[in-house]
Structure formats: structure tokens, C-alpha cells
Amino acid sequence: MNAPAVNANTAPKKKLTTSAMIASIASEGQRTVAAPFGKALVAYAADRPEVVGLSADLAKYTDLHLFAQAYPERFHQMGMAEQLLMGAAGGMAKEGLTPFATTYAVFGTRRAYDFIHQVIAEENLNVKICCALPGLTTGYGPSHQATEDLAMMRGIPGLTIVDPCDALDIAQAVPQIAAHKGPVYMRLLRGQVPLVLDEIEGGIDNYSFELGKAKLLREGNEVLVISSGILTMRALEVAQDLAKDHIGVAVLHCPTIKPLDEAAICEAVRYKHRLVVVAENHSVVGGLGEAVASALLRHRVQPAGFQLAGLPDAFLDAGALPTLHDRYGISREVLGQRIKGWLG
Amino acid sequence: MSSTLQGLAQVAHRIRRYAVRMGEVQGQGYVGQALGWADVLAVAYGHALALKPDNPQWEGRDRFLLSHGHYAIAHYAALIEAGVIPHSELETYGSDDSRLPMSGMASYTPGMEISGGSLGQGLVIGVGMALGLRHKGNPAFVYNSMSDGELDEGSTWEAAMAAAHHRLGNLICLIDINNQQADGPSSQVLGFEPLADKWQAFGWHVQRVDGNNLAAVLQAFDTARTLAEAKPRVILFDTLMGKGVPFLEQREKNHFIRVDPPEWQQALEHLDATAPSGAATTARPQGAAA
């Protein structure tokens, strides 16, 4: 699939205020695509009447409103009721439909965990759970910051977990998770979503999302960043910055958290004797970092060094997103400084 | 007694007997619930449900969801009675590698539509299945069988609101009000009355009947199935745990019954002594419930 249409973000610089729930994660001047999830789902569902959409009072904030407008008879509003959302999605899947259930990640996972576990996953039902505001993408504080969703969801047997990086990743992931037989949890970026993977400076020419596969986006001799979600975008930026200091940073993007592409990870770590940094928009507890560490130990692959660049094991502050990304070490500048520090 | 009621009384008797015998196999189980719920299951499986015993996944079947998965012993008894599960499997109840685990699970048992047991999930699944059937233009009903204890769960009320909002006339909820849950009488654990008023206020068609009066149960099912209005239907069944076995009916703490070995035989003797005429103690021939 081609990259979606791009809008130039030319908004003037604003004073940093506590980010609204719908704060954009795009940097100033960054190319973005509006609602890539909604557009991809509308396109995929065009000749697939079994695809239905469910929302828990957040259709407009998960880009599912585009689906609701396109196929009103296939959109089901469940109200602000996440247990119902997941249970009803499971019931619809039992009748042969392919439900896309959307809400915010905090509510979908924390509040409805047992319903995902028992109704959906235990019967391997064909439900696609797409949850917005993953990790630290809102300044609303822990009520809305899903910093441990991957830890929770990784514990569910048979659940496929996807953490896409940008609009291209999402556009390509939607048809693939829909075609996958079984339950999927996808972290969702919505609204004006950055577009970076179509043009990777110093890296591969043509990126494509493949469910279950990690992709080496660029090579580098000193550091290997293994990342998912928006931290892949940050890693690519850091790689550009550190190249100016003659520090080579390789980036291995792992948009599928489970099942994890352990072969690609081990190969990339084994290939060169370099510092390995796992960068993720998630708590350092139970996310990609610990999954990678476990895989390396089990496969007896010894990195030259190993560091976790995730969110701290803490309830995070409220505030403006750029401030918080700096504070917790996942902004372009601070991540770059941390990596340089680890290199010594 | 009409011939229909006479036949259903025989069905209920056999369901009770199968449940007691499965309890005897394991030496424990939710036998009290099974005895109390047997009349409702008899009308469901002996009269109301469209099903093909030799094809439990038949697309046209009515879906019967056992939200209270711990009532599996009662549901297995009904499925044996209906000819979905062979009578010979009764002896495997709760054993390793059996298709009849102690809590109902969809992947184990023919005719078990969901894996219940995490209470308060059946009705939300039922909402989704009812919507799914509507999508497909399938006129089948979804019956959700649940306990009064599940009224404590918030998800039950999420589902109740959604079912009325979406005008799910193909959803029928059956609630066993036996006033017993794990920590004691349901009404003392978390008061839930006035129940009929609550469901009515939530937009449901409500009936409340004596769940151990077969004629009343039969009438309630028929009313729920034939109602013209596009609204979900709930039947509140007041039941007596242990019904049919006096010493179990009178046991004060009977949520999870432990029965001394000789008592299983005594229970069967009680049931047989009060059996309706013509109640054979083996299942009907395969296909009879279609």
C-alpha cells in the first residue's frame, strides 16, 4: 500500500501548556496524515461486510467515526462501557463477524482486562482491539496514560500485539491484523499522525509493515536501538543527530510485540559488538525491553551493553507532552544524550 | 396435568437425576443449583430451544449461554437429556481429559456456547451475539442463563442498558433467583430488590415467576418467545436450591454442597420416590429434541 496523503503542519509555535487529551504527538513542521486508522479501515471494509466497528463513546477520538460515517449500519455504539465493548465484540465474533473494538488504551486494557482474557482470547476470537493514547501520548496524567498496557496484554496467551510507529505503519497494519485469524491488540495513534517511515534518511528505501516481523531501518556500528511505536521515530531522529558526532546508530523497528521476531533481534545483536538500547513508549516493566532481554538470554546472545530507554516504573506527571517526554527521557534530545552517556 | 407439562416434568426429573449422579462421581458440586434450576432447563431444552442434538453448531439453533459456568453440572444434565452429550459421558464428569469439566467451557463441550464462570460476562456476550444474529438476518434467539449473584457485577447493567438501547428483541435473559451466593444470602451480600422494577426501568420486558412451577415457567418462556415488541426480555425465576431433595432444600449453607457418600443414594431415592409417572431414567433417543 502506498503512503497516505500528507498534510504539512504549519501551525505557529505555541506556549507549552498541559496537553489536552487530543494533543497531537507530531512535532512542529512534521509531515502528518489525518486519521490513517479510520481511512485504512474504511478501505479494507468496503467489500467485507463482516467487518464491524464498536466504540465505547470515543469513536471521534479513535478515528472510528470515519467508519461510522461510511457504514452506519455496521457501527455499534456501546456507550462508556468497556466491559460491554469487549464482551459484545466477542459475541459478534462468535457469530462470524470481524469486530474492531476501539477506545482508549487505559480503559480497554485496565478496565476490561478480564473480558479480553476470558471472552475474547480464551476462545481465540477474531476481535481487533485498537486502543488510542498508548504510553505517554497525553498530558492528562495516569488516568489516561497507558504506560503498562503492553505488560498486561503480553500476559494473555495467543494475543497478537502491535505497536505501530507512524501513519504508514498503521495504514499497512490494519488490513494485516484484520486478515489475521485471532485476537489482536493494536496501539493506536490517531488524529494528525506523523509520517516518517516512507522516507528514512540514511536507511532502507521501501519500508513495509509485516505482521510478526522486525525491520532493520538503518545500520550503524556503535549502537543498536531496538524499538517500537513512536520511539522508533525518536530513534531515527537520534540516529541522524548522532551521525553528526560520527556515532553510528542502527535502528531495528519491532512493531509486533507479540509474537516477537526473536530471530531478527538475535541476528541484529549478534551481527556487531555494539551497545543495545531498547526504546519504547511504555514502562520499563513488562514491555519490549524485558521481552528483548529475555529473548537474548534464552538464545545466549550477549550484547556489548544493554540499556532500557522506556518510561520509569512510576505514575507519571501531568503536563505538556514535550516537557514530559524530556522529563522521562524519550524526547529526541534527551534520548540522544542518554545514549551518548551509555556509550561513555 | 397436560401432556406437555407431564412430559416436561419427566424431563426435569431426569435432569435432576443426572446432576445428582454427576455430583456423586466427584463427591461434590453445585448440585443444589442444578436441582433448583432443573425446571427452567427442562422447559428450555424440552420445549423452547431450537436445536439439533446431532449438530450442536447448527446455524439456526437458539444460543443458550451459561454465564454462571459453575452451573455446568446442571447444563450437562440438560445436554444429556437433549441428546447432545451421550449418556455414557456422565461418568466422566470432572475427570481428567473429560469433555465435562467442573466449570463450563466452550472448547470442551458440545452445546456449551461460552466459557462462563468469570461472572457477569454472559449478558455482554449475549448482546454481541444478538447484534451479530441481526446482522446475518438469523431469527434465532440468544438465551443468557445467569445467577442472581451476577447482578452484583456492573457489566450486567452495562449489557442491560445496551440491549434495550439496541432494541434486542432476540435476547432473552433467564435469572436464577435462589438467594444464595458464596458469602451467604444474595440479598445480604448486596441487596438487589426491587428486581422487576429495575429491569423494567432499564427498558426490558419483565416477568417474575416461580421457577419451580413448570406451568408458570412454560408460560413465561412462551410469552418471552412470542412477544411482538422489539425489546429484550428477562424472566426472573424464584427457585429453591436443592429442589426435590428435602434434606438438601433444608440445608442452611447450600451454595456449594458437600454430600456424605450415603446421601447421594438417598438423594436419588428421594427423586425417584417423587418421580412423575413415565419418567424413565435414561436420555431420550438422539434427535428427539430437534
Side-chain angles (χ1 to χ4, degrees):
Chain A
M1 184 183 287
N2 293 327
V6 177
N7 301 326
N9 183 348
T10 55
K13 188 174 174 75
K14 288 179 188 165
K15 179 185 164 199
L16 292 183
T17 54
T18 294
S19 301
M21 262 188 286
I22 53 170
S24 174
I25 54 161
S27 312
E28 254 188 81
Q30 190 170 35
R31 292 176 307 140
T32 60
V33 175
F37 167 70
K39 289 173 181 165
L41 189 58
V42 166
Y44 180 81
D47 55 357
R48 293 176 179 87
E50 73 278 10
V51 175
V52 294
L54 288 81
S55 181
D57 191 32
L58 286 170
K60 291 176 187 169
Y61 302 92
T62 54
D63 295 342
L64 194 68
H65 65 291
L66 297 183
F67 181 91
Q69 286 162 10
Y71 315 109
E73 75 290 350
R74 284 197 261 159
F75 170 73
H76 300 281
Q77 178 59 262
M78 290 292 124
M80 200 192 300
E82 292 77 18
Q83 301 177 116
L84 167 70
L85 173 75
M86 298 306 172
M92 295 177 94
K94 288 175 80 68
E95 293 300 337
L97 302 174
T98 304
F100 275 72
T102 75
T103 180
Y104 284 168
V106 280
F107 310 131
T109 59
R110 298 198 313 234
R111 186 163 295 210
Y113 190 76
D114 187 41
F115 292 73
I116 296 172
H117 189 284
Q118 277 305 110
V119 178
I120 294 171
E122 199 265 336
E123 288 198 51
N124 197 40
L125 298 179
N126 210 21
V127 177
K128 316 305 168 185
I129 301 162
C130 299
C131 287
L133 299 189
L136 187 49
T137 53
T138 169
Y140 256 49
S143 65
H144 286 67
Q145 290 161 347
T147 55
E148 70 270 38
D149 59 328
L150 297 179
M152 295 174 71
M153 304 310 269
R154 281 181 64 223
I156 298 181
L159 185 68
T160 294
I161 303 173
V162 176
D163 186 19
C165 166
D166 76 341
L168 179 64
D169 237 5
I170 291 171
Q172 297 191 349
V174 166
Q176 291 186 39
I177 66 171
H180 172 78
K181 298 292 179 211
V184 177
Y185 174 72
M186 184 174 83
R187 293 179 121 196
L188 180 61
L189 308 169
R190 55 92 175 100
Q192 291 294 331
V193 178
L195 176 61
V196 298
L197 292 179
D198 62 329
E199 292 179 7
I200 300 165
E201 194 172 316
I204 62 167
D205 292 329
N206 291 301
Y207 172 79
S208 63
F209 174 89
E210 273 185 87
L211 191 60
K213 295 293 182 191
K215 294 290 170 83
L216 191 68
L217 302 183
R218 58 178 289 150
E219 259 301 0
N221 288 328
E222 280 73 36
V223 184
L224 169 67
V225 178
I226 300 173
S227 58
S228 70
I230 61 169
L231 261 293
T232 291
M233 188 164 72
R234 294 280 171 269
L236 290 168
E237 291 166 350
V238 166
Q240 285 181 41
D241 295 345
L242 298 197
K244 292 168 191 159
D245 298 329
H246 307 291
I247 298 171
V249 177
V251 178
L252 181 69
H253 177 41
C254 294
T256 307
I257 304 291
K258 190 178 179 183
L260 190 61
D261 190 352
E262 296 187 357
I265 289 168
C266 289
E267 186 186 332
V269 172
R270 201 184 274 125
Y271 174 61
K272 282 192 167 114
H273 194 66
R274 53 193 172 184
L275 170 69
V276 172
V277 175
V278 185
E280 59 183 319
N281 179 27
H282 184 270
S283 166
V284 291
V285 177
L288 179 66
E290 290 190 349
V292 168
S294 163
L296 294 178
L297 272 172
R298 281 184 284 105
H299 293 286
R300 300 186 182 196
V301 177
Q302 174 75 51
F306 187 86
Q307 296 291 345
L308 298 180
L311 300 167
D313 177 24
F315 294 102
L316 306 185
D317 295 338
L321 267 189
T323 309
L324 298 177
H325 281 206
D326 272 344
R327 186 170 297 164
Y328 297 117
I330 61 170
S331 67
R332 177 176 189 161
E333 292 74 19
V334 178
L335 180 60
Q337 289 162 16
R338 291 174 84 190
I339 290 174
K340 281 208 262 188
W342 286 325
L343 279 170
Chain B
M1 190 183 270
S2 74
S3 60
T4 302
L5 282 176
Q6 179 67 20
L8 290 174
Q10 294 164 5
V11 171
H13 170 74
R14 286 191 293 266
I15 289 174
R16 288 193 165 91
R17 218 175 179 284
Y18 296 145
V20 169
R21 287 188 54 205
M22 279 185 275
E24 188 177 13
V25 168
Q26 277 296 316
Q28 58 183 13
Y30 291 93
V31 175
Q33 286 88 336
L35 294 170
W37 201 228
D39 295 305
V40 171
L41 288 169
V43 174
Y45 279 87
H47 172 76
L49 290 177
L51 74 150
K52 291 185 176 177
D54 56 350
N55 183 9
Q57 290 299 305
W58 171 50
E59 177 65 10
R61 74 194 184 281
D62 288 331
R63 279 70 166 156
F64 186 93
L65 316 185
L66 190 74
S67 184
H68 39 182
H70 57 295
Y71 275 45
I73 195 169
H75 198 189
Y76 299 151
L79 290 169
I80 291 171
E81 167 62 21
V84 177
I85 298 172
H87 184 263
S88 57
E89 285 189 44
L90 184 154
E91 297 289 336
T92 73
Y93 169 70
S95 306
D96 290 348
D97 303 319
S98 167
R99 295 201 298 177
L100 312 181
M102 300 242 342
S103 187
M105 285 189 272
S107 55
Y108 281 62
T109 315
M112 188 68 71
E113 296 276 0
I114 64 170
S115 297
S118 180
L119 298 176
Q121 295 191 334
L123 199 56
V124 293
I125 301 172
V127 166
M129 291 178 80
L131 283 166
L133 288 169
R134 181 193 284 176
H135 262 279
K136 295 191 285 187
N138 184 327
F141 281 106
V142 178
Y143 290 84
N144 178 63
S145 174
M146 63 183 279
S147 60
D148 53 6
E150 293 183 79
L151 298 167
D152 296 358
E153 295 282 359
S155 53
T156 296
W157 301 103
E158 293 181 8
M161 286 178 72
H165 176 83
H166 291 288
R167 305 175 62 78
L168 297 179
N170 54 351
L171 180 61
I172 299 175
C173 187
L174 315 170
I175 307 183
D176 183 10
I177 304 172
N178 55 30
N179 201 29
Q180 291 286 334
Q181 59 193 89
D183 266 352
S186 304
S187 53
Q188 290 177 26
V189 172
L190 196 64
F192 50 60
E193 297 290 0
L195 264 187
D197 291 351
K198 282 196 173 84
W199 285 92
Q200 196 148 13
F202 272 71
W204 288 57
H205 177 269
V206 185
Q207 302 176 77
R208 185 163 191 164
V209 301
D210 177 349
N212 295 123
N213 177 332
L214 271 176
V217 174
L218 180 64
Q219 179 64 48
F221 265 86
D222 284 346
T223 300
R225 292 159 67 219
T226 55
L227 192 72
E229 230 177 329
K231 64 197 311 192
R233 304 98 203 262
V234 61
I235 313 174
L236 308 166
F237 293 105
D238 291 292
T239 67
L240 179 63
M241 294 221 344
K243 178 70 180 180
V245 178
F247 68 86
L248 293 179
E249 290 175 8
Q250 290 154 16
R251 196 159 289 190
E252 193 174 327
K253 182 174 176 2
N254 55 4
H255 174 72
F256 188 83
I257 289 180
R258 293 188 191 282
V259 181
D260 296 331
E263 289 184 316
W264 296 105
Q265 196 53 45
Q266 290 167 24
L268 288 176
E269 286 166 8
H270 273 296
L271 289 174
D272 290 343
T274 55
S277 60
T281 52
T282 54
R284 290 184 282 175
Q286 297 269 329

